[in-house]
Amino acid sequence: MSTEDNKSIPEEEPGKRSLNFIEEKIEKDLNNNKNNRQVHTRFPPEPNGFLHIGHAKSIVLNFGLAKEYNGKCNLRFDDTNPIKESTEYVDSIKEDIHWLGYDWEERLYYASDYFEQLYEMAEKLIKDGKAFVCDLSQDQIAEYRGTPTEPGIESPYRNRSIEENLDLFRRMRAGEFPDGSRMLRAKIDMSSPNMHLRDPIMYRIKRSYHHRTGYDWCIYPMYDFAHGQSDYIESITHSLCTLEFEVHRPLYDWFLDNLVEEGEIRPQQIEFARLNLSYTIVSKRKLLELVENDYVDGWDDPRMPTISGFRRRGYTPDAIKNFVEKVGIAKRDNVIDVALLEHSIREDLNKKAPRVMAVLDPVKVIIDNYPDDTTEDLELVNNPEDESMGSRKVPFSKEVYIEKKDFMEDPPKKFFRMAPGREVRLKGAYVVKCDDYKKDDQGNITEIHCTYDPQTKSGADTSGKKVKGTLHWVSAPHAFQAEVRLYDRLFNDPAPSSKDEDFKAFINPDSLKVFKNCYLEPVLKDAEPEDKFQFQRIGYFCVDRYSEKRLPVFNQTVTLKDTWAKKEKQQQNQKKKG
RNA sequence: UGUCCGGUGGUGUAAUGGCAACACGUCUGAUUUUGGUUCAGAAGAGUCCAGGUUCGAACCCUGGCCGGACAACCA
């Protein structure tokens, strides 16, 4: 560094993107030969709910950093509160992480694996005079703790002898005292401006079945006494968590100061901002509320911002990972525009999803000059973005269905679709002209009559005709019926959880629309659950996870971008205002 | 009226003492047998404010202002 006199212009390194603040910190540690130049992270979920998009950020960060720096990332379940945790959640979490494409190899751990070691550490602190058994009630504890602006006062039990503390703590473990009657506290500083340092609770008595240790324990460590030491036990070098744990860091360090042995790897906690998404809630507690009160169809409802919800909705792991990478890592509070998520899935599916035709809200079109008993097998490409995806045969006949929305009796001038006297192309087939239509008593269009121009056959057009609009369609006799579910955002408000009102007041009543009589082209009969398609001109769809062959169900992942719909909407809004 | 952490286009993220960049979104236009994709382009911040240091400050210093976190035997 000292010989850097000639200010050489820094070489442009095109492959090197700018580092986020955590990567910078890691590289600094690496340069200082800290932790034997190892990088070891962990993803530490509590198994008390399903993983959501916010966890995806943490997963991508922790596993991604390990990969980037040739290190390892553990999966550790932070299971120190048995009353909220269960193996159902453990299983779902493991499945979601694997689905995203990450692997903890043989490093699957549980904080409950360390209960015995944690207990030993607690005894050590007692013996060192740094922890004591306190008999204060819950209310008294709160009272003695003070407030953020006023210091607390010391517990009358704070100065028990080491022998008495040790005896009492052992008897706590042995089950001699009722739940809540005593606890073990760290002896730190009741007047600290940091609330977390005011003799924090280390252990509480709680008789409850634990999903892994059963009834072996009746005392359980608190998060603060478990997390840092678990990191230490696993030789974690960089312990990443979200901003709300920033105030816990002095306590994290205090325990480590008193427990870490010479020469051992000492983990450091680094905090980053959690991910917030507009129009959605990312809070396990609130998501649980939606599930328990049947606002949604379980944790994996396609409207849920859970990993399993996105999966059922048709999102891909790549889209989620790309999204999270685009969002970045920093320390300021943020709200990500849900449009960025939608952009990520469209970007991915545009490359991967085969195109098919499906009519969601059908109206019949009869091509009067087309022969009665003829079926043509038309060849359509599966994906114009990727020739290697080949092509397929699509049957065409005298009667087809098109979308009701694609016909207007009296269209505005920029409407490029079917209308009386107008010509449009049926995608991959012919140009047809609308001659006539029928209506029922309520004025609904029931039938549209057209003539086709045989010269305009797709790929062999000799007519030289240019038409503005191209419609998707399915041949009526060949179509099969399916249910299609359209999803919209679950909440109407851009920030449903930041208001004084109950977040449930912002639930969008139209977040799910079910179309039961949709007609799909024949290839879709063979589709398997989770298969993904682009329904041309509509959006991306996938076969529902629980779909059955008898009556298949397709979920809309996301719409195609639709500049026509956008213009319509803007005009409507202007009319309302004007 | 405490401690800690943050304030850069509408949103998110860069620039680490040297021309404020990239992505999403928005708006034009072209291409298109998907009103998709693709392509070309535009608008939009002078970096919360005020001082200071410096030839030069988004970046360093001082003081404000604004926002967030913290008072569960939750994590």
Side-chain angles (χ1 to χ4, degrees):
Chain A
M1 291 295 260
S2 55
T3 55
E4 188 204 0
D5 285 337
N6 55 333
K7 273 200 173 176
S8 59
I9 298 150
E11 290 287 318
E12 274 294 333
E13 292 173 83
K16 201 171 183 191
R17 61 182 178 87
S18 61
L19 302 176
N20 65 50
F21 78 99
I22 296 176
E23 291 167 321
E24 274 178 7
K25 202 165 275 190
I26 288 175
E27 297 206 352
K28 204 171 167 189
D29 291 341
L30 254 22
N31 288 334
N32 292 335
N33 292 319
K34 202 173 165 185
N35 307 318
N36 311 316
R37 299 181 59 85
Q38 294 297 304
V39 174
H40 202 150
T41 56
R42 97 272 94 111
F43 174 61
E46 184 189 13
N48 68 342
F50 278 54
L51 261 23
H52 55 61
I53 188 72
H55 294 106
K57 179 176 180 178
S58 176
I59 291 168
V60 172
L61 215 212
N62 279 293
F63 282 94
L65 249 17
K67 190 176 176 199
E68 185 181 348
Y69 293 104
N70 251 311
K72 292 181 166 71
C73 178
N74 298 353
L75 170 60
R76 179 171 74 233
F77 286 99
D78 216 338
D79 55 350
T80 57
N81 185 12
I83 61 172
K84 287 187 175 176
E85 298 154 4
S86 77
T87 51
E88 182 210 349
Y89 293 132
V90 169
D91 294 341
S92 77
I93 289 167
K94 290 198 278 193
E95 188 183 344
D96 287 346
I97 298 171
H98 275 150
W99 179 75
L100 279 175
Y102 296 100
D103 187 16
W104 51 89
E105 298 171 319
E106 74 289 356
R107 298 176 311 280
L108 168 62
Y109 303 120
Y110 295 82
S112 56
D113 290 344
Y114 312 134
F115 280 172
E116 192 62 46
Q117 287 169 85
L118 258 13
Y119 177 85
E120 300 294 333
M121 290 177 184
E123 281 211 354
K124 175 183 160 33
L125 290 186
I126 293 171
K127 288 170 187 161
D128 290 345
K130 290 175 173 162
F132 66 100
V133 171
C134 181
D135 301 357
L136 253 27
S137 71
Q138 187 153 203
D139 290 345
Q140 288 171 312
I141 283 274
E143 210 179 302
Y144 278 62
R145 189 158 24 222
T147 70
T149 53
E150 295 164 304
I153 43 177
E154 293 183 351
S155 164
Y157 304 97
R158 198 174 199 265
N159 295 312
R160 294 219 251 228
S161 70
I162 288 172
E163 292 68 30
E164 191 185 0
N165 281 322
L166 210 47
D167 173 62
L168 251 19
F169 185 51
R170 287 174 177 167
R171 287 164 65 195
M172 277 169 63
R173 176 180 183 169
E176 288 187 28
F177 311 117
D179 284 13
S181 61
R182 288 190 160 86
M183 69 213 127
L184 185 71
R185 292 229 256 168
K187 198 186 286 189
I188 307 182
D189 179 6
M190 287 309 288
S191 63
S192 170
N194 183 336
M195 298 288 289
H196 296 278
L197 260 19
R198 319 241 263 228
D199 292 4
I201 297 167
M202 295 163 59
Y203 271 90
R204 72 281 210 184
I205 306 173
K206 186 179 275 198
R207 265 161 263 253
S208 171
Y209 174 80
H210 184 281
H211 71 110
R212 297 196 83 238
T213 60
Y215 294 104
D216 290 353
W217 294 84
C218 64
I219 56 172
Y220 289 95
M222 299 287 288
Y223 164 85
D224 286 304
F225 189 66
H227 201 99
Q229 287 88 289
S230 299
D231 287 339
Y232 172 50
I233 290 166
E234 293 176 19
S235 297
I236 299 303
T237 55
H238 303 268
S239 179
L240 313 180
C241 62
T242 44
L243 252 31
E244 66 269 29
F245 291 100
E246 214 155 23
V247 262
H248 292 243
R249 185 163 15 107
L251 181 53
Y252 181 102
D253 287 334
W254 189 88
F255 284 128
L256 257 23
D257 284 344
N258 287 294
L259 294 166
V260 168
E261 311 262 353
E262 221 8 70
E264 300 272 10
I265 283 181
R266 183 200 158 107
Q268 60 170 319
Q269 176 180 305
I270 303 166
E271 311 85 12
F272 63 93
R274 72 177 334 136
L275 182 149
N276 298 296
L277 248 196
S278 63
Y279 293 97
T280 104
I281 55 166
V282 192
S283 147
K284 268 202 248 181
R285 203 205 84 231
K286 288 174 182 168
L287 294 175
L288 212 210
E289 207 176 323
L290 293 175
V291 172
E292 284 184 334
N293 298 313
D294 296 324
Y295 288 99
V296 294
D297 176 29
W299 284 98
D300 67 349
D301 184 292
R303 291 165 293 178
M304 290 282 274
T306 51
I307 309 280
S308 54
F310 283 121
R311 177 179 178 178
R312 194 171 159 201
R313 178 84 173 249
Y315 274 72
T316 57
D318 280 347
I320 292 174
K321 283 187 274 192
N322 289 340
F323 166 70
V324 162
E325 258 146 38
K326 277 184 257 219
V327 159
I329 303 293
K331 292 193 75 164
R332 61 186 94 102
D333 293 326
N334 61 80
V335 181
I336 312 296
D337 191 338
V338 70
L340 185 61
L341 216 210
E342 294 179 344
H343 169 262
S344 302
I345 186 60
R346 286 191 188 109
E347 182 183 47
D348 195 37
L349 257 17
N350 180 47
K351 289 180 295 193
K352 296 175 180 167
R355 268 116 249 233
V356 294
M357 294 197 286
V359 176
L360 271 32
D361 190 16
V363 57
K364 190 175 271 183
V365 172
I366 299 162
I367 303 162
D368 293 316
N369 64 336
Y370 195 85
D372 282 350
D373 295 313
T374 301
T375 296
E376 277 187 88
D377 275 326
L378 304 170
E379 189 88 13
L380 268 74
V381 293
N382 287 328
N383 190 342
E385 307 294 313
D386 182 358
E387 218 172 284
S388 73
M389 288 174 77
S391 62
R392 68 187 186 288
K393 296 260 197 290
V394 182
F396 180 77
S397 66
K398 187 182 179 78
E399 297 192 358
V400 300
Y401 292 111
I402 65 163
E403 219 64 68
K404 274 185 186 147
K405 273 200 287 193
D406 286 339
F407 176 84
M408 278 184 97
E409 287 183 84
D410 185 19
K413 57 175 179 292
K414 287 246 173 148
F415 185 82
F416 301 147
R417 306 173 187 186
M418 191 179 282
R422 294 234 193 133
E423 288 194 315
V424 293
R425 176 174 287 282
L426 296 178
K427 174 87 184 169
Y430 298 93
V431 171
V432 296
K433 183 178 176 188
C434 173
D435 304 314
D436 195 13
Y437 57 95
K438 290 182 179 154
K439 288 201 277 190
D440 65 11
D441 301 341
Q442 282 91 49
N444 300 310
I445 311 293
T446 54
E447 207 172 276
I448 298 167
H449 286 266
C450 293
T451 49
Y452 85 114
D453 178 351
Q455 305 285 296
T456 59
K457 183 165 178 174
S458 189
D461 192 324
T462 55
S463 73
K465 272 182 188 166
K466 289 276 178 196
V467 291
K468 272 287 206 181
T470 300
L471 306 187
H472 63 278
W473 51 273
V474 302
S475 169
H478 304 91
F480 78 103
Q481 240 180 330
E483 177 176 321
V484 176
R485 297 177 185 163
L486 265 33
Y487 298 100
D488 197 358
R489 44 182 65 129
L490 231 197
F491 295 94
N492 285 323
D493 192 281
S497 53
S498 68
K499 303 286 194 311
D500 292 334
E501 279 176 81
D502 183 357
F503 73 98
K504 298 195 292 304
F506 302 109
I507 289 178
N508 175 7
D510 300 319
S511 61
L512 169 62
K513 283 185 181 138
V514 180
F515 286 72
K516 288 191 182 281
N517 304 308
C518 305
Y519 291 110
L520 316 193
E521 69 166 84
V523 273
L524 286 168
K525 269 181 199 155
D526 300 324
E528 299 291 334
E530 298 197 346
D531 280 356
K532 293 161 181 63
F533 302 93
Q534 183 194 102
F535 288 1
Q536 285 195 115
R537 302 211 306 130
I538 306 176
Y540 295 97
F541 291 78
C542 73
V543 181
D544 188 71
R545 194 177 173 166
Y546 308 110
S547 175
E548 290 174 29
K549 281 271 156 70
R550 290 179 298 107
L551 209 213
V553 174
F554 287 79
N555 293 324
Q556 182 179 62
T557 307
V558 66
T559 61
L560 251 31
K561 281 214 270 184
D562 190 345
T563 48
W564 172 246
K566 191 157 69 182
K567 273 181 188 158
E568 270 187 320
K569 207 175 174 183
Q570 283 172 357
Q571 279 173 2
Q572 275 177 14
N573 288 343
Q574 276 181 4
K575 273 183 192 171
K576 272 184 201 168
K577 281 180 193 166

